[in-house]
């Protein structure tokens, strides 16, 4: 195919704190067993792309480890690779200054591999897309650059980078978060929003990257490169074809705690917007050798223990030891002990919930032990004394945080 994919994965993701306090945003767990970057990587593999460079920068240890453990199956003999590339400082002494600068700083690698086309992707979006179909469109339109676009209601478009088109697909305007978004021709109620997916003819984009590097700009594809290319080159918009096979197209930037919580919670609905169970478009990830999930204790008498989960995702290695979980997502090796209730929550790897706890509308990061008798999500004023609480009332406990025993939270005696 002659295509090199470069995934921008160095963002701090500050709006996702404290989940990004110890890891880059693309490495944040999602959907029980995945990391956010797994969706972009799976799209690449499913699209037949076998040359992938992941550009890292901010707190990349967790991401590097995940790539090494879960994605190290490429054949060097066939000139396939997935590599993690931190800032090399080959063209200066600065870290990555913007999305375009991140690519420019790796211009040596691009020239060495000499692909026909360069595919620029974000590592922090959740969606299903066949990039091979986008390449076919790019070639048919004889474009120098193609930007993937998703249709959004005009009243929501001000939150995105909005693309204005003429003559079918030719981009004539590109504006970040405009006050008055341009509608799609013939569809006054809809606008094209950029998905942060860019496909370029390699020779042409390298010319523009070199030029931009000498200018006093933000060195950003949406703000600088695409608007500049529109003046001299053919730049097209590709209307996103969703491989999710649902009525509505699915593309999410889970850049805030509330958006992240909503996207996870949607997965447990009867007919979730994102289909993880489509074998024709598999989502890959690293999975450790854990035992199956286990549900124990089923005493039907009043006050008895019942290990059960309803409308939830329960990953391997979890033990529901007499606790009840509902409308929640549990990552591997979570333990929910007797007489505990967990509602509308996301529990990440190795979380241990003590007996007689009540948890609701919470996100609990890895390696957190919740003392017996603790209540979280029921008194937000008390929760704020220990944890981060969003304006909508989602309680977030960071990775490895030591949770204090609550005053007076002495569990009742176990009747058994």
């Amino acid at each position: 195919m002659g295509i090199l994919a470069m995934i921008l994965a160095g963002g701090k993701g500050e709006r996702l704190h404290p989940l990004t306090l110890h890891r880059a945003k693309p490495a944040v767990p999602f959907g029980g067993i995945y990391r956010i970057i797994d969706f972009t990587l799976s799209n690449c593999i499913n699209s037949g792309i076998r040359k992938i460079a992941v550009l890292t920068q901010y707190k990349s240890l967790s991401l590097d480890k995940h790539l090494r453990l879960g994605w190290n199956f490429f054949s060097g003999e066939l000139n396939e690779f997935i590599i993690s590339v931190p800032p090399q400082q080959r063209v200066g002494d600065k870290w990555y200054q913007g999305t375009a600068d991140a690519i420019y700083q790796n211009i040596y690698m691009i020239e060495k591999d000499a692909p026909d086309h360069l595919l620029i992707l974000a590592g922090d979006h959740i969606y299903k897309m066949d990039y091979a179909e986008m390449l076919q469109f790019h070639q048919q339109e004889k474009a120098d650059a193609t930007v993937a676009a998703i249709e959004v209601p005009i009243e929501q478009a001000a939150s995105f980078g909005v693309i204005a088109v003429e003559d079918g697909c030719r981009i004539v305007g590109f504006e970040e978060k405009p006050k008055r978004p341009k509608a799609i021709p013939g569809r006054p109620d809809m606008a094209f929003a950029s998905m942060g997916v860019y496909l370029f003819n390699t020779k042409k984009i390298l010319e523009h990257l070199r030029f931009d590097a000498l200018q006093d700009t933000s060195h950003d594809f949406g703000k600088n490169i695409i608007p500049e290319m529109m003046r001299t080159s053919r730049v097209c918009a590709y209307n996103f074809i969703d491989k999710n096979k649902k009525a509505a197209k699915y593309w999410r930037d889970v850049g805030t705690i509330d958006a992240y919580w909503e996207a996870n919670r949607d997965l447990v609905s009867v007919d979730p917007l994102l289909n993880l169970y489509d074998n024709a478009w598999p989502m890959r990830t690293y999975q450790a050798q854990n035992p199956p999930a286990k549900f124990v204790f089923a005493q039907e008498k009043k006050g008895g223990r019942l290990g059960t989960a309803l409308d939830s995702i329960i990953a391997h290695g979890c033990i529901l030891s007499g606790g009840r979980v509902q409308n929640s997502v549990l990552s591997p090796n979570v333990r929910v002990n007797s007489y505990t209730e967990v509602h509308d929550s996301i529990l990440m790897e190795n979380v241990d919930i003590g007996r007689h706890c009540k948890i609701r509308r919470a996100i609990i990061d890895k390696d957190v032990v919740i003392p017996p008798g603790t209540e979280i999500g029921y008194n937000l004023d008390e929760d704020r004394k220990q944890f981060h609480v969003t304006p909508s009332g989602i309680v977030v406990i960071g990775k490895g945080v030591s949770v204090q025993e609550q005053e007076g939270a002495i569990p009742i005696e176990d009747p058994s």
Side-chain angles (χ1 to χ4, degrees):
M1 193 183 296
I3 187 169
L4 170 64
M6 303 187 78
I7 301 177
L8 301 168
K12 291 184 178 180
E14 293 177 343
R15 295 178 301 160
L16 267 182
H17 273 193
L19 301 182
T20 51
L21 194 60
H22 301 289
R23 58 169 81 91
K25 181 179 171 184
V28 171
F30 179 85
I33 63 173
Y34 304 99
R35 304 290 183 119
I36 292 176
I37 197 173
D38 287 329
F39 292 84
T40 300
L41 290 172
S42 294
N43 286 338
C44 287
I45 301 304
N46 294 338
S47 302
I49 296 173
R50 313 285 291 195
K51 295 182 179 182
I52 305 168
V54 180
L55 307 189
T56 62
Q57 181 164 261
Y58 170 82
K59 295 185 179 178
S60 62
L61 179 61
S62 178
L63 179 57
D64 288 336
K65 181 180 178 181
H66 179 69
L67 294 175
R68 185 176 69 255
L69 292 174
W71 291 91
N72 190 25
F73 53 79
F74 292 79
S75 173
E77 295 179 355
L78 299 177
N79 197 26
E80 302 172 349
F81 59 82
I82 180 169
I83 54 175
S84 176
V85 187
Q88 301 293 297
Q89 298 188 349
R90 279 186 173 270
V91 296
D93 58 357
K94 295 181 179 179
W95 303 113
Y96 296 148
Q97 301 298 300
T99 55
D101 180 66
I103 305 302
Y104 173 71
Q105 287 203 34
N106 289 285
I107 200 168
Y108 170 82
M109 180 183 68
I110 299 169
E111 291 177 329
K112 195 171 187 302
D113 188 73
D116 298 319
H117 299 93
L118 194 63
L119 179 65
I120 310 300
L121 305 167
D124 53 5
H125 296 158
I126 295 171
Y127 63 109
K128 296 181 179 182
M129 179 178 178
D130 189 340
Y131 304 128
E133 293 180 352
M134 183 178 179
L135 175 61
Q136 184 179 21
F137 171 88
H138 175 86
Q139 293 173 322
Q140 288 175 347
E141 293 295 330
K142 295 180 171 57
D144 296 303
T146 299
V147 182
I150 186 170
E151 301 166 341
V152 297
I154 195 77
E155 61 271 13
Q156 300 175 16
S159 301
F160 301 92
V162 174
I163 299 169
V165 299
E166 290 180 356
D167 303 326
C169 74
R170 188 170 64 89
I171 297 178
V172 295
F174 196 113
E175 190 175 1
E176 291 286 347
K177 299 181 179 179
K179 293 182 179 179
R180 296 181 179 179
K182 296 287 183 64
I184 299 173
R187 302 185 63 189
D189 60 329
M190 303 295 287
F192 269 143
S194 171
M195 297 172 61
V197 175
Y198 306 102
L199 181 61
F200 300 101
N201 295 339
T202 302
K203 183 178 179 180
K204 183 67 68 172
I205 187 57
L206 292 187
E207 293 174 2
H208 284 274
L209 288 174
R210 290 190 180 96
F211 176 79
D212 179 75
L214 300 175
Q215 312 304 311
D216 183 16
T217 72
S218 300
H219 306 299
D220 182 85
F221 279 106
K223 295 178 182 178
N224 308 118
I225 300 295
I226 297 300
E228 181 63 29
M229 290 191 75
M230 290 187 315
R231 298 172 53 194
T232 59
S233 306
R234 179 167 173 78
V235 183
C236 289
Y238 172 72
N239 195 347
F240 170 47
I241 299 175
D242 192 3
K243 292 298 177 181
N244 192 44
K245 302 176 182 176
K246 293 284 185 174
K249 295 182 180 182
Y250 190 95
W251 176 82
R252 296 289 187 275
D253 178 0
V254 287
T256 66
I257 291 295
D258 287 339
Y260 174 84
W261 183 80
E262 288 285 356
N264 272 275
R265 281 275 281 89
D266 172 66
L267 297 175
V268 305
S269 63
V270 174
D271 186 19
L273 296 176
L274 178 63
N275 180 14
L276 296 177
Y277 300 90
D278 180 9
N279 292 329
W281 199 264
M283 293 290 109
R284 295 169 170 83
T285 188
Y286 166 71
Q287 298 194 54
Q289 297 298 318
N290 293 314
K294 183 168 72 168
F295 303 70
V296 293
F297 295 116
Q299 297 181 10
E300 299 295 339
K301 64 182 181 180
K302 184 177 180 180
R305 289 178 286 181
L306 182 63
T308 187
L310 304 172
D311 296 325
S312 297
I313 288 176
I314 309 298
H316 45 272
C318 290
I319 299 177
L320 272 60
S321 180
R324 177 188 176 98
V325 173
Q326 191 164 357
N327 299 115
S328 297
V329 176
L330 274 58
S331 291
N333 297 322
V334 169
R335 186 180 182 98
V336 179
N337 287 292
S338 295
Y339 314 108
T340 279
E341 294 187 3
V342 177
H343 296 273
D344 303 304
S345 295
I346 302 165
L347 309 184
M348 297 189 190
E349 196 170 350
N350 300 327
V351 167
D352 191 322
I353 311 291
R355 290 186 171 201
H356 304 287
C357 291
K358 294 178 67 179
I359 313 291
R360 73 176 180 186
R361 287 172 58 83
I363 302 172
I364 304 178
D365 207 338
K366 295 173 64 174
D367 303 325
V368 172
V369 177
I370 304 297
T374 301
E375 291 190 1
I376 295 172
Y378 291 84
N379 187 332
L380 298 182
D381 290 333
E382 286 298 316
D383 291 332
R384 289 188 184 96
K385 295 177 181 179
Q386 282 198 73
F387 317 121
H388 173 78
V389 182
T390 71
S392 66
I394 306 298
V395 182
V396 189
I397 304 178
K399 180 180 178 181
V401 166
S402 178
V403 178
Q404 301 173 11
E405 288 195 28
Q406 295 177 351
E407 185 176 349
I410 301 174
I412 61 174
E413 290 296 321
D414 183 351
S416 65

